[in-house]
Structure formats: structure tokens, C-alpha cells
Amino acid sequence: MRDPSSVPSPRWHRPRHGRRGTLALVALTVGALLAGSVPALAAGPAHHGAAKEVSAFDAVDPFIGTELDTTQNKGNSAYGNTYPGATVPFGMVQSSPTTYRTSDGDQKGGYEYTADRIRGFGMTRLSGTGCEGRFSGFDFPVLPYTGELPGGALPRSPASDIASYYLDFDHADESAQPGSYTVGLKNGVRTSLTATTRTAVNHYSFPADRGSSALLVDVAGSNNRVYDSEVTVEGRTVSGWVEAASVCEGGGHYRAYFSSTFDRPFTAYGTWEGGRVTAGAAHAKSGEAKHGAGAYLVFPRGAEVTARTGLSYVSVDGAARNAEQETAGHSFEAVRAEAARTWKDALATVDAGGGTRERRVKFYTALYHALLHPNIMDDVDGRYPGYDGAVHRAERGRHVYATYSGWDTYRGQAQLIALLFPKVGSDINQSLVDLVEQTGSWPNWPHLNQSQQKMTGDSLQALVSAVDAFGSTDYDRKAALDSMVRTQSLPAGSSKRTNAQQYFSTGFVESSTGDSATSKTLEYAIDDFAIARLADRLGDSADRAKFMARAQNWQNVFDADTRQIRPRDRDGFDRGFNLGERGDQFDQATGYQYGWMVPHNVAALVEKRGGREVVAEELDRHTRSLDAGVYDTEGAYLSNQPSFSMPYVYNWLRQPGKTGEVLRRAVDEMYDTSPKGLPGNDDLGALSAWYVWANLGMSPSVYGTANLVLSAPLFDRVTIDSADSARTIRVTAPGAGGDQRYVSGLKADGRASTKSWVGEDFARRGGTLDFRMGTAAGTWGTGADDVPPSYTEGSDSRNETGTTPDGKGGLGSLDMSGHSLSREKLAAAGASPGARLPFGDTGVTFTWPKAAPGEPDNWVPHGQRVDLSGGDARGARASGISFLGLATNGPAQGTAVVEYADGSRQDVDVRLTDWTPGTDYRFGNVPLVTTEGRNLADGTADTARTVVLATAVQALDPSKRVRSVVLPQGTDRGVMHVFDVALAGVPGA
């Protein structure tokens, strides 16, 4: 036996302030195991009676979220799709049962509480994903078998009839706690599971009165499609590999390896390959057949058998090494005890006090579920398979983390990890930087070492920025930002964002492309905001400004006429679209639900929607139903991600009491402690993390920052201890666990504060929040200066790139179709960057934009303010105003507003002809720049004649001074493009 002291300790470091920290593990080894009894397993679901305050560990019920609520039809599955099996925080292994329901043959692909049979005990699992039936994982399932073995062989090949080997069970014979699971099967076998980081340790207790004591290793039994597999039996070890499809079966396929060593020899063994079972055979290979190859292992009747099964994504040798270093010489009970201690340390990072037993069960189960992903990918020797197909080695002292549900987890789960486990956060960010280095691009849903696209948005950039904002900065930050800027700039060939060329050029994705076009624009704007915040933290002002301008692109799909975010095509807004339907414009949600998803600039959203009073009424109406789904509804959908930030909009409306009301209603109405207790797919911990933040009274809902929007806590006291860090956050809210539901006052770090938020320094360094609670909403957070920040930078910037160098049409697009104006032809016509363009004898002289190739050179109007003061603080004297621009798919008309220095305003019409009008110049437009031939995105050119037009000069009050003009909030049809605005001087002035 090895000297246990030589094994790196898996335990979290105890910070100087006295609490335990987080994952400092190279592997969850058991080198420092304590002898003694193992805590009794939790009693499964719905066993939570009244008692004194239950501990965090004992409060976790792994069965919560395992049952689909068939009474709900909301659009997505109405259950968490969690699993009750054994794992450790961020572990590579998830040792868990997977089920089958005989009444209808429903397998779900995971563990579903209404099932009556177990399909086996697998080694891998994704917690909470969608794609019902195609969840992936469940690699190398094992089935205990007690039937007859005629001639020493299985009676039939599992490849031909796997269902006959499924295992009857009853929930009354199940139990689970963090790190372990046990079930008594109807065939008399008692199966217990536990795990280290990379190793499943399973114990099987066979009955002595049955036909045999055997284990079937279904090496080709993965949940999704199998491409190939192989199994070998040698001595007391069975090993092999499988190549299987990734989550949803829509992306790549991964190869997983295992090596399972048993604590007693086999009395017999054999394999199956296709329909043939061969006693004594030691090798089998399946090809693409599901369940096509495997091994069966026979033990004496009534045997007690323990298997230590290492997992690796590098090699069989790596899997064997993982098992050896993590578990050799340690009993099942010892490993289970260490897994429990590991979870106790992890859960102790949040010490919540007060509240009912039920609330504690829901809270700590949510925290548990939030810590299951992402997962360590490197073996104990540091090797891991890269996204480029090569084997790499993790830097000493670090881990590589894999599997990210980006669209879901950037909205709170990643921030929770960064707050509680800052070292893990840094390793996550470095893992993603390495991913981009290996692939050249940013995917949004990488699974294991497969670079994949699922859902919309480019959310891993937002995730990295958010984790960085919370202080997890021990990674190559510059490389992260450089890769974001490189891949998310024109030309769009390195971007994984669908419709990236159109979005980068014109500032929105047109609705005719379908595929959630409108919500893509909102997601991309959030992603760009997150990039801008990372640039700001790194002192890169140029890229901050560039991406802040793009962060305001949500305004391109805001319809000023209906005051709603809605689908927009090149011909205008689709005002007949039913915003209550999911349709093809909004991903997994409705337009009403996405209508609140501008977390970084809520103030502008509120203003555009009609102001605080109007918007408060709309939000009140929206939150009457908190989980309405997506079928012809104006209600919210708080069990799905697009609604996650919505309740906190009340803070910007200066009604933080209503934020607390909505959160408490959601916590009480939507969540419970039954197997149906999660109202939607947990999506790798995203929904559970939202629940945790809702209870804490703070939320990182301005994604890409560490600002915390405050609400009424649901516990009397909370202490958050960041692991391996001196950061501590202490929250007191006496009475919050009872009837004191509203914040009536606050001291932040000992100082009275009426603000309903705390800034980024608080999340990074820690501090104290002492809430004074009451039974009714008061004045706290209701002042104009109390609201959380809105990031308005870039709102007035040019936002469309319509000119390109010849042969490089991919550097822009003016018309949603990849056509752009030639910079060379423009220059030949007098419109070189910075050139002066006089408008006849009107007294107006325009300046052609100085934008570099690939950078915005015109405004698509959504209310941008253009400074016309000429640098004079008093404003400029003017007799008239004209606009230089054109329309695509036009003409296009709108109303601008001239702002005088005395505070008065004057409406002026902006009406522009299409850019290829022939001789039909409307509205008195005059062509100032004419070119022959447009550039195309593929580098070629056409022969179309184009014009850039000046609008007829409109008179202004010459007795006043002009400060600025606000461009139209929207246009009637087409897309308007404004290159410059200029004033006519006052004669003799």
C-alpha cells in the first residue's frame, strides 16, 4: 500500500478567518481519510419534517428535480433533469443510475422519478440539460445480474435484448446524500455508489439464494449514439473505451476510457459481440452497434464486491492511473466518508441561518446542484485531450475544466463559482482561453473536448468577463481579451456567432433569417458589453469603446412606435408579430419575456418604454404569472434563463420592495422539496444558481460585472466564505426568515446606505450588509440616486459599417445583404475619410467620417445624440440643418429633434431616398456623392450606381444656439443610414 501522506490532499484550505475554502485538489484523493463510521444516508425525497436547524449537508436532497411535472406544458421540460448519483464538486465522474419506465418504454435519457426500472449504473452524466432522451453521458453502465448462466454464459446477448437485463427497483429502497447513493434492487442485489474526482467506487452485495452473482459491463451502452467501443478482461480488471455522441447528438463525438479493478477474482467471465455471447472470451469490439459489445463477470454466490473504476478521456492507462492514485488501499466506506467531507467543506462556503427546514432543504440542494459543473478534464498526471485532437498537459497546480452550457450559466452560476471558489474560477477562465487557442474561435456549448454550438449567443465571453469581474484573474487575461476582439470583429470569419457578418456590420440580425434572430441581437449585445467590461478592467480604452457601442445594438430592435423589442427586417419592424408566442424570433421564450433582457442599460430601456410609471405597470402585469411558459402569454417564465434578470428591473424603477415580492413568490410558489421541486431544466446548475442568489438577497444581474443588485434576503443571516481566500461577505437580516419581508434600511460596511446595489469592489474584497427588515415596503432604494448603474457609453456612437476597401467587402455591409460602398470609389468622388463636402450654396458643409476600414462609419438611427456645438460650450448659431445619408430598402423617414442651448427643442423631418434610386430622388434629396459599383462580402463587386444624399435644409431659429440633434428613434420602413449632420450658419453672425 502507498503511504497515504504522499497523496496530494483533496481537502480545501482553511482560510485565516476560520472557515473552510474550496477546491485546491489535483485529484480528489483519499490520502487523509479519517477512520470511523459513515454518516447515515439521507432518506430520499419528501422526508423533511419539523426539526431544529438542519445542517447544510443533511439538507441536500439529490432527488429534488428528478421528476417531470406532466401537469405543466410551458415549452421546456418542467423538471430539473437532475440525478441522485454520486459525485464530488466539479468531478469528472458522475456515478449514477439511469432509468426506464415499462408502462410506455420512456427512457428520458437520464433518471426520471416515475420510472420503475434501472438501465444500469453509469459513470458520466450531465445535470439538467434539455434535449430530452439525448442528454449524453451514461458511459459504461453496469448491471448486476442474478439469473441463470446456462453453460457459463449469459442466456442472451444484451446487444439483442438489453431491456431484459434492466433492474426492477422501488424508491422505498433508495437513499442518497452528497457523494453517495444506495439502492436495494428487486433481484436482491444491494448497490452502493460513491466517487472521487476521477473514480467511481461501487459496492455490490449479492444475495446467496439466486442463480448467479454477475455484473454486466455494457461498454457500448452510452446514452447517445455509439460510434465504436472495445472491452478487454485481464486478471481482476476489465477495461475499454467508447466513442459516443455529445449532448443532443448534434455536435461532435468524444472518446471515454475506463479501467475497473475488483477486490476479488472472477470465477468466470465472458464477452458479447453483437448477438454472440462467448464464455471465457476476454475481448470484444462493437463498431456502431448500441450495446454491441461488453463483458460479464461472475463471482461466487452471495459475494460482496467492490469495484474501483477510473475514468479518463486520454487513455485506458490514464483511467487505471486515476483509480490507483485516488483510491488504492481505501475501502468503499472510507471513500464515501471522504466524499461526504468534501461536500461538507464545499457547502460550508455559504452558511445560511434561520428560515424553515423546507427553505434550507431547497437552498442547500440548489447550492449542491450549482456545484456539479463544469468538470475537471485532466488526469492525475495532468494530461487531457484538447479541442484540437492532441493530448495536452495542464500547468502544474492547475486544472482544466470542460463542459459549459454558456447560454445558461453566464447568468449567475459562473459568478457563484467565482465568488465561492476563486481558484476554480481562474482555472475555468484559463481553460476557456486554452480552448480558443486550440480551436481559433469561441464556441458557446463545448462538451468535454468537443467544440460545439448550442443555443444562441456567444455566451462564454460573457462568462469569462463575469468570472474575471469577481476577482478570478489568475489566468491569461490579455490572451482572453485579444481572442475576443480578434474573433468578434470584421471580417466575421473567425466568429461562431450565426449571422455574425450581418450583426457586426449593421448592428442587428434581421428577422427574416429566423432561428431566434431577434433574441440573437439581444444576446450579442450582452456579449459585447461583457467584452467591453473586460477591456475596461485591462485598461484598453479603444476596445472598450468599440464594444460598448455594439453593446447598445439592442436599440436597433426596439420599435419606438409600439415601445417594444420586436422582430425587425430590412423593410422595417414586424408589428403584426405576436410577442406572446415563442415563434422563430425568440429562443426558448417570448418577446414579452425578452423585452426586459437589457441588463446593462436598464435606464435606457425604461425611458424608451415610456418611463418609470408606465414601465412599472407593465412589469406588474408581466409578473402576475411568474412561470407562464411560451404559449400566447404576456407573463414571465422564471424557470427559464431569459427571465432571470427580469425581477431586478424593479430596482431601476425605484421599487426594490417589489423585487423582493417577486423573488419570494417564485421561491415559495415554483420550488418545493419533492422530486418535482425544480420547475425547469437545471441546465448545468443555472436554475439552481438563480435560486441561490434569490435567497441571498443579492444578484449579479448586470452580466459581465460584479455589481450586486440587492433585494430582501430570505435568511436571517448568511456568511459567504470564499475558499482559499480572505474574502468574506456577511449578511444580517433579522426576521427575514419569517414575516419581515421588506428592507427598511441598510448599512453597507457599517455605513447607512439607501442604494439598492453595491459595486464591484464589494464582491471582490468582501464586506458586510446589515439589513433592517420590516413588514411593508418603505423608502429604502426609492431615490433617484439609489438605482443600480446603467451603462450608456456607446449609445450615441456610429453603429453601422457601410464602406469597405475594394476586394474586402467582408469588412462591412450597408444593406443586410453584404453590399457596401467602395472606399476607393468614394474617395475618387471626393468622400475620402475626413473630407469636407459642401452642399451647394446652402451654407452647409458635411465632413465624411474618418472611420478606419471595418469600423462603424454611419448611424442607423435609434435616438443617438449628435453634438453640433462645434466645441463651443454656448452652442452653435445656425439657420438650418441637413443630414447626409441614404436608405437601404428605402425610402425611410423619421423625426429628429434639435436641442437648443436654452433647453428648447425643435422637431425636424429626416427623409432619405434609397441608395440605388436611379433618378427618383425624393423629398428634395440632393446626391452629393455618386459611385458606380458596390462591394460584395465575397470580395467581388457589382455595377450598381449608388448615391449618398443630402436632405433639404430645414430652417432653425437663428436667434438660438444649437447644442445637439437627437436622431430619429425609429423610421417608418427600410433602414436609414446617416453619415453626418451639419448646420447652415447665420449670415452675418
Side-chain angles (χ1 to χ4, degrees):
M1 181 187 301
R2 295 170 306 128
D3 175 8
S5 65
S6 68
V7 182
S9 171
R11 305 301 297 280
W12 288 291
H13 295 308
R14 189 185 298 272
R16 284 173 294 181
H17 49 275
R19 299 201 56 79
R20 289 184 178 172
T22 188
L23 290 171
L25 66 162
V26 173
L28 180 60
T29 63
V30 285
L33 293 177
L34 302 178
S37 61
V38 179
L41 291 177
H47 296 285
H48 309 294
K52 67 178 183 179
E53 188 168 282
V54 63
S55 72
F57 180 83
D58 290 332
V60 175
D61 186 343
F63 291 96
I64 292 175
T66 59
E67 182 177 353
L68 175 63
D69 186 349
T70 56
T71 66
Q72 299 188 58
N73 183 22
K74 300 180 294 188
N76 290 351
S77 297
Y79 81 130
N81 185 25
T82 56
Y83 63 89
T87 190
V88 294
F90 315 116
M92 181 187 290
V93 163
Q94 302 85 36
S95 182
S96 185
T98 297
T99 58
Y100 177 83
R101 190 168 58 215
T102 55
S103 61
D104 57 4
D106 189 6
Q107 297 187 29
K108 295 294 181 199
Y111 179 99
E112 212 289 320
Y113 198 76
T114 62
D116 56 344
R117 307 189 81 189
I118 288 176
R119 293 192 289 136
F121 302 98
M123 288 191 70
T124 59
R125 180 72 160 83
L126 295 175
S127 181
T129 59
C131 293
E132 187 169 299
R134 296 174 289 124
F135 300 138
S136 188
F138 190 52
D139 298 310
F140 314 123
V142 176
L143 296 107
Y145 175 72
T146 58
E148 297 298 327
L149 295 171
L154 294 175
R156 56 203 162 274
S157 171
S160 305
D161 186 13
I162 186 64
S164 66
Y165 291 100
Y166 290 166
L167 306 160
D168 294 329
F169 80 112
D170 191 287
H171 293 305
D173 299 319
E174 274 187 311
S175 58
Q177 66 179 9
S180 63
Y181 167 89
T182 293
V183 61
L185 301 167
K186 296 297 184 181
N187 66 3
V189 180
R190 186 167 184 81
T191 299
S192 297
L193 315 177
T194 190
T196 64
T197 297
R198 305 170 181 87
T199 307
V201 182
N202 296 2
H203 182 77
Y204 306 96
S205 180
F206 287 94
D209 58 351
R210 301 297 174 100
S212 66
S213 297
L215 294 172
L216 279 62
V217 182
D218 186 6
V219 71
S222 301
N223 199 59
N224 285 352
R225 178 182 172 185
V226 169
Y227 294 87
D228 201 359
S229 69
E230 185 174 21
V231 64
T232 300
V233 182
E234 184 176 3
R236 295 187 183 185
T237 298
V238 58
S239 62
W241 54 267
V242 67
E243 192 164 318
S246 297
V247 62
C248 301
E249 291 191 330
H253 41 94
Y254 61 90
R255 182 171 286 200
Y257 302 85
F258 80 100
S259 178
S260 186
T261 300
F262 295 80
D263 65 346
R264 62 185 307 151
F266 316 134
T267 59
Y269 60 83
T271 64
W272 71 85
E273 192 172 86
R276 185 178 68 256
V277 178
T278 306
H283 180 266
K285 207 168 184 297
S286 73
E288 295 188 358
K290 193 76 170 286
H291 312 290
Y296 64 93
L297 315 170
V298 185
F299 303 92
R301 290 187 182 183
E304 299 281 337
V305 179
T306 298
R308 295 180 293 107
T309 307
L311 176 68
S312 171
Y313 293 98
V314 176
S315 66
V316 167
D317 288 344
R321 190 179 303 111
N322 289 341
E324 171 69 18
Q325 290 198 23
E326 292 188 348
T327 65
H330 301 289
S331 68
F332 175 87
E333 295 297 329
V335 175
R336 181 164 65 176
E338 182 64 14
R341 279 191 290 271
T342 301
W343 273 113
K344 288 176 181 177
D345 283 352
L347 297 169
T349 56
V350 183
D351 181 14
T356 63
R357 181 184 178 90
E358 179 185 26
R359 179 150 291 161
R360 292 181 65 78
V361 168
K362 292 192 293 184
F363 177 79
Y364 279 109
T365 302
L367 180 59
Y368 165 81
H369 282 140
L371 305 183
L372 298 177
H373 296 286
N375 307 104
I376 286 176
M377 190 71 173
D378 52 294
D379 288 348
V380 292
D381 62 1
R383 297 198 306 160
Y384 70 95
Y387 299 87
D388 55 0
V391 174
H392 300 262
R393 191 178 297 272
E395 182 182 339
R396 185 174 178 83
R398 306 193 74 119
H399 290 295
V400 173
Y401 288 86
T403 303
Y404 300 88
S405 177
W407 187 83
D408 310 285
T409 56
Y410 85 85
R411 308 172 203 256
Q413 190 257 0
Q415 295 90 326
L416 186 63
I417 291 174
L419 177 62
L420 302 183
F421 311 129
K423 288 187 176 182
V424 176
S426 289
D427 281 358
I428 285 171
N429 275 7
Q430 187 60 53
S431 299
L432 292 172
V433 171
D434 293 343
L435 180 161
V436 179
E437 180 180 335
Q438 292 165 16
T439 65
S441 62
W442 285 82
N444 66 5
W445 220 116
H447 176 209
L448 299 175
N449 65 331
Q450 301 301 304
S451 177
Q452 299 188 130
Q453 298 300 108
K454 312 285 183 191
M455 307 301 295
T456 53
D458 211 13
S459 308
L460 291 185
Q461 294 153 34
L463 186 152
V464 167
S465 182
V467 169
D468 181 276
F470 271 79
S472 290
T473 58
D474 183 18
Y475 70 103
D476 195 340
R477 303 170 80 197
K478 184 178 185 303
L481 178 62
D482 288 349
S483 67
M484 294 177 191
V485 173
R486 173 179 56 81
T487 59
Q488 309 314 321
S489 298
L490 289 166
S494 296
S495 179
K496 290 285 190 180
R497 300 186 190 185
T498 53
N499 308 107
Q501 168 73 22
Q502 188 176 85
Y503 173 79
F504 292 164
S505 300
T506 63
F508 67 99
V509 180
E510 63 177 331
S511 58
S512 63
T513 65
D515 191 28
S516 306
T518 307
S519 63
K520 281 179 188 174
T521 299
L522 301 179
E523 294 283 0
Y524 293 162
I526 291 173
D527 301 333
D528 289 337
F529 171 75
I531 296 172
R533 298 324 301 161
L534 180 60
D536 182 67
R537 291 192 291 273
L538 292 178
D540 185 342
S541 58
D543 285 319
R544 183 203 70 210
K546 170 182 175 177
F547 284 93
M548 277 306 303
R550 290 222 315 236
Q552 309 303 341
N553 280 343
W554 63 273
Q555 298 183 77
N556 289 331
V557 291
F558 186 90
D559 177 23
D561 282 10
T562 61
R563 297 191 316 201
Q564 294 281 0
I565 288 169
R566 64 171 53 252
R568 182 183 186 181
D569 214 332
R570 62 188 65 186
D571 294 320
F573 285 96
D574 182 358
R575 297 190 176 111
F577 184 86
N578 177 11
L579 291 175
E581 287 284 353
R582 176 176 179 172
D584 66 348
Q585 293 298 310
F586 297 98
D587 202 349
Q588 290 196 4
T590 69
Y592 289 116
Q593 291 151 8
Y594 268 101
W596 305 101
M597 207 185 76
V598 187
H600 53 286
N601 198 356
V602 176
L605 177 68
V606 170
E607 180 182 0
K608 284 181 176 289
R609 290 187 65 151
R612 283 193 302 116
E613 291 185 6
V614 170
V615 173
E617 291 180 2
E618 292 176 343
L619 191 54
D620 289 346
R621 184 165 59 250
H622 183 67
T623 56
R624 287 173 188 166
S625 177
L626 296 183
D627 205 23
V630 295
Y631 300 117
D632 200 19
T633 177
E634 295 185 18
Y637 192 8
L638 267 175
S639 63
N640 205 31
Q641 284 72 21
S643 285
F644 276 10
S645 62
M646 173 274 298
Y648 299 95
V649 171
Y650 277 118
N651 283 51
W652 279 268
L653 298 176
R654 294 153 60 176
Q655 298 183 38
K658 288 186 177 179
T659 301
E661 288 175 0
V662 170
L663 295 177
R664 188 176 288 264
R665 281 175 54 207
V667 165
D668 290 343
E669 296 173 10
M670 294 170 55
Y671 297 79
D672 61 46
T673 60
S674 76
K676 296 180 182 179
L678 281 181
N681 292 153
D682 206 24
D683 291 314
L684 277 59
L687 185 61
S688 287
W690 182 90
Y691 184 91
V692 170
W693 288 112
N695 278 259
L696 295 178
M698 60 185 80
S699 172
S701 55
V702 185
Y703 310 129
T705 78
N707 295 324
L708 294 172
V709 182
L710 303 180
S711 58
L714 274 67
F715 289 96
D716 294 346
R717 54 178 173 77
V718 176
T719 300
I720 298 170
D721 258 324
S722 292
D724 299 306
S725 166
R727 176 173 56 191
T728 301
I729 293 175
R730 291 187 174 87
V731 180
T732 62
D739 296 331
Q740 307 291 304
R741 300 186 171 192
Y742 295 89
V743 178
S744 59
L746 170 67
K747 284 186 178 180
D749 292 332
R751 295 185 178 183
S753 174
T754 59
K755 296 184 183 301
S756 66
W757 66 287
V758 289
E760 295 185 294
D761 284 348
F762 183 89
R764 292 172 190 153
R765 61 173 168 74
T768 60
L769 296 174
D770 297 310
F771 290 96
R772 186 173 68 252
M773 306 300 293
T775 57
T779 60
W780 175 79
T782 61
D785 295 330
D786 295 337
V787 301
S790 293
Y791 292 81
T792 61
E793 180 185 357
S795 294
D796 299 326
S797 300
R798 288 182 171 92
N799 61 343
E800 206 268 356
T801 304
T803 69
T804 62
D806 290 346
K808 297 182 179 180
L811 286 176
S813 172
L814 193 66
D815 69 343
M816 314 300 293
S817 296
H819 298 93
S820 56
L821 293 168
S822 162
R823 292 174 70 92
E824 287 82 0
K825 291 182 175 69
L826 287 168
S832 58
R836 306 274 286 173
L837 299 173
F839 181 13
D841 60 0
T842 64
V844 170
T845 299
F846 296 103
T847 300
W848 191 255
K850 294 182 180 180
E855 298 300 324
D857 49 38
N858 68 86
W859 290 279
V860 172
H862 57 57
Q864 299 95 325
R865 180 172 278 102
V866 180
D867 181 14
L868 297 178
S869 67
D872 189 333
R874 298 172 300 168
R877 296 285 298 276
S879 61
I881 187 171
S882 179
F883 299 80
L884 180 69
L886 52 86
T888 52
N889 285 87
Q893 306 179 60
T895 301
V897 179
V898 173
E899 297 179 324
Y900 292 108
D902 65 2
S904 60
R905 297 157 64 91
Q906 177 183 337
D907 289 351
V908 292
D909 290 334
V910 185
R911 300 185 291 178
L912 285 164
T913 301
D914 189 87
W915 67 325
T916 57
T919 59
D920 183 16
Y921 305 133
R922 304 185 184 186
F923 319 123
N925 290 172
V926 176
L928 284 196
V929 183
T930 302
T931 64
E932 302 290 336
R934 303 174 299 183
N935 287 342
L936 277 63
D938 63 3
T940 63
D942 66 12
T943 59
R945 179 177 180 272
T946 64
V947 294
V948 182
L949 305 142
T951 64
V953 176
Q954 297 182 70
L956 300 179
D957 188 338
S959 67
K960 297 182 177 183
R961 290 182 176 270
V962 176
R963 282 193 172 163
S964 55
V965 62
V966 177
L967 297 180
Q969 295 291 338
T971 54
D972 63 333
R973 54 161 294 185
V975 180
M976 180 181 287
H977 305 264
V978 177
F979 287 91
D980 193 27
V981 186
L983 299 173
V986 176

